[in-house]
Amino acid sequence: MVRKEKGGFLAKVKTLYNRLVAETDDPITQWLMCMPMLGALSKVGQTITEADAVRVMAVYACIRVIASEIGASPLHFMRTMPNGGKERVHGGLADLLRFEPNPEMTASDFKKTMTFNLELWGNGYAEVQRNRLGEVVGLWPIPSWRVIKERDLDTRKLYYRVAVQNGEVILDEKRMLHLRGLGDGVVGMRFVSLARDALGLAIAGEEYGSRFFENGALASGIATYPRALSQEALDNFKKSFKESYEGLSNAQRVMFLEEDMKFQQLTIPNDAAQFLETRSYQMHEVCRFFGVPPHKIAILDRATFSNIEHQSMEFDQQCIYPRIVQWEEELRRVLLTQEEKELGYFFKFNLNSKSRVAMATKTNYYNFMRQNGVMNANDIREMEDMNPIPAEEGGDAYLVNGNMIPLSTAMTRQPDVKESADEE
């Protein structure tokens, strides 16, 4: 049941904000108090918000890689058969998740939007729209900063407060698809709260680089003059120096000084300050946080021809697969009725819809599985998103190595008389 109130959410935000200002500036405490819109203060003295974090190229690149990978993986509605097999279900909810979760978005856009919110804010929300029969007819993403999850102290049930233009809307658990990051199991913690110091250093490095070129890089130091300068002469010198030698367009220009004036360079060279090493290290720190191999965001300093394939497989297994499982379990928990769960309905991402490893590795795998009776031709074709071969043409037949005869024939085949005589 949805209930609307005016002013309740905004009043709660104001109350919590005043309490935070008076009591704490710790971002973890802010998260526990459901304040996702506040920035986190890093040790370098910068307040980091989600808008600041996503402007760090390594952060944006990691989220883009993860979101694109999940968005490009088809999501199927499946059912377990009585014989232990599985089959795809078509129409209704299956088409909703495979093609258009709502009239304004494609399935890939929906999955990318949810993943973006999950990775950046620690939570991804989507309102579940149902018709009068209780059937799911739409999924609508909600920006994470608009949602606060709370528990009713009387019923102990969880519900969601969603900020809207005229106040707030309250949704119960079955009306909200909720993907959550690491946290207390109810809500996930914000990325900027967990990685605030690493982000602060990365942003400080970018700002330092910008100011380095803005201020002319090498034209920085002490100008000395053998005699005293009047204020007017000093002002003229500062003006001419700024116009001639500061700024990126004036970098590396030859400096001309008059009347025995000397200039002493004070700027520490970037290689001495390890500027590039610091920036590279911070990009690796961001990759480590998201679990993305550096080569996925074009950091190739440690990538080799021999390990790039294994790094890609590690990306699938340790970065994408856990997120895929979370999607599948949350979709089943929220979208299916108890009866549908008992009948064996579930959701499954097709992670084999595109080449994830070298073609030679994939070919050797399929050959082994096919020649040893583990997979038939249609099993392989399904993994490659190809239409099945009709059963009467052998598409469902399992073969074994040797003469490549059907498995059932190999089990009932009698040994030749000559072979028996040789054995004796």
Side-chain angles (χ1 to χ4, degrees):
M1 187 69 180
V2 179
R3 155 171 80 86
K4 295 185 178 180
E5 299 177 357
K6 291 187 178 181
F9 178 77
L10 297 179
K12 181 179 180 63
V13 168
K14 185 176 180 181
T15 301
L16 288 177
Y17 177 77
N18 292 333
R19 189 187 307 169
L20 285 172
V21 171
E23 296 180 3
T24 179
D25 59 357
D26 178 51
I28 303 300
T29 304
Q30 294 174 2
W31 163 70
L32 292 172
M33 297 178 68
C34 301
M35 290 294 292
M37 66 287 294
L38 294 182
L41 183 63
S42 67
K43 291 182 179 179
V44 297
Q46 290 181 321
T47 300
I48 312 299
T49 66
E50 278 72 14
D52 298 321
V54 79
R55 290 190 181 98
V56 177
M57 286 297 98
V59 174
Y60 175 82
C62 286
I63 296 178
R64 175 185 56 80
V65 167
I66 296 173
S68 298
E69 193 80 9
I70 295 177
S73 301
L75 178 58
H76 300 309
F77 190 27
M78 309 287 291
R79 178 175 59 186
T80 303
M81 303 299 294
N83 60 3
K86 304 177 182 64
E87 69 171 1
R88 287 177 55 181
V89 180
H90 300 278
L93 185 57
D95 291 343
L96 193 75
L97 293 170
R98 181 66 180 85
F99 302 109
E100 294 183 16
N102 60 69
E104 299 177 358
M105 306 180 75
T106 63
S108 61
D109 290 335
F110 171 76
K111 288 179 285 187
K112 286 190 290 186
T113 302
M114 291 288 289
T115 303
F116 175 81
N117 279 270
L118 171 62
E119 300 299 332
L120 189 60
W121 290 87
N123 297 276
Y125 300 99
E127 181 183 359
V128 180
Q129 180 184 4
R130 301 178 185 270
N131 59 19
R132 294 183 178 180
L133 299 178
E135 301 170 334
V136 179
V137 295
L139 295 169
W140 297 86
I142 302 175
S144 297
W145 59 269
R146 289 190 176 185
V147 182
I148 291 181
K149 190 173 185 178
E150 296 183 344
R151 186 183 299 276
D152 190 305
L153 297 180
D154 296 328
T155 63
R156 306 302 301 168
K157 292 184 178 180
L158 294 169
Y159 63 94
Y160 299 85
R161 292 180 178 270
V162 183
V164 294
Q165 186 175 5
N166 297 322
E168 66 177 5
V169 173
I170 296 181
L171 303 176
D172 60 40
E173 271 208 295
K174 283 300 181 180
R175 292 290 306 278
M176 187 74 82
L177 181 69
H178 181 191
L179 301 174
R180 66 212 78 184
L182 291 177
D184 60 359
V186 178
V187 293
M189 290 196 295
R190 297 166 54 206
F191 166 63
V192 296
S193 297
L194 297 173
R196 57 180 179 177
D197 294 327
L199 288 173
L201 187 55
I203 294 174
E206 290 188 358
E207 184 176 347
Y208 169 81
S210 299
R211 292 185 180 276
F212 179 82
F213 290 105
E214 177 186 358
N215 293 326
L218 296 180
S220 178
I222 298 176
T224 59
Y225 189 69
R227 294 178 297 276
L229 285 175
S230 65
Q231 186 63 42
E232 181 180 359
L234 180 61
D235 293 340
N236 291 336
F237 170 74
K238 290 180 179 179
K239 180 179 179 182
S240 62
F241 189 91
K242 184 177 182 65
E243 293 175 352
S244 300
Y245 303 112
E246 288 190 3
L248 182 60
S249 60
N250 294 324
Q252 310 300 328
R253 292 184 63 180
V254 178
M255 186 177 297
F256 295 96
L257 300 177
E258 301 176 356
E259 299 183 5
D260 296 330
M261 182 173 285
K262 297 180 180 180
F263 183 84
Q264 181 182 356
Q265 177 68 42
L266 291 182
T267 301
I268 301 176
N270 280 334
D271 55 353
Q274 295 186 323
F275 170 65
L276 296 179
E277 289 84 350
T278 300
R279 292 208 63 192
S280 176
Y281 179 77
Q282 290 311 116
M283 288 190 290
H284 281 85
E285 283 284 272
V286 172
C287 289
R288 186 178 295 113
F289 184 93
F290 287 104
V292 175
H295 79 274
K296 282 290 185 179
I297 63 171
I299 302 176
L300 303 176
D301 52 350
R302 301 178 186 176
T304 65
F305 179 79
S306 60
N307 69 12
I308 201 75
E309 178 182 338
H310 292 283
Q311 289 187 45
S312 297
M313 295 173 64
E314 182 180 348
F315 170 68
D316 290 335
Q317 296 168 359
Q318 299 186 12
C319 180
I320 298 301
Y321 181 71
R323 290 168 168 84
I324 290 297
V325 172
Q326 182 185 24
W327 269 89
E328 295 170 347
E329 294 178 345
E330 181 65 11
L331 289 168
R332 180 183 182 274
R333 186 185 73 87
V334 176
L335 301 188
L336 300 185
T337 63
Q338 186 60 36
E339 182 181 1
E340 290 172 328
K341 296 175 184 177
E342 294 174 356
L343 290 175
Y345 287 92
F346 64 98
F347 299 94
K348 189 71 175 179
F349 275 86
N350 182 7
L351 299 181
N352 298 297
S353 60
K354 50 188 176 297
S355 298
R356 292 176 172 269
V357 296
M359 188 59 67
T361 303
K362 180 183 290 189
T363 301
N364 291 335
Y365 169 76
Y366 286 152
N367 282 338
F368 178 85
M369 302 297 281
R370 173 79 163 140
Q371 293 176 12
N372 289 276
V374 181
M375 300 174 68
N376 60 36
N378 284 339
D379 292 333
I380 298 174
R381 294 177 69 86
E382 181 180 359
M383 295 181 70
E384 293 297 316
D385 274 356
M386 302 170 68
N387 293 329
I389 299 173
E392 57 271 16
E393 297 181 12
D396 293 335
Y398 290 90
L399 309 177
V400 293
N401 210 347
N403 294 327
M404 297 299 288
I405 60 177
L407 184 62
S408 57
T409 304
M411 295 176 60
T412 59
R413 181 182 177 184
Q414 299 296 325
D416 294 338
V417 177
K418 184 177 179 180
E419 294 177 356
S420 300
D422 293 340
E423 292 177 359
E424 293 177 355

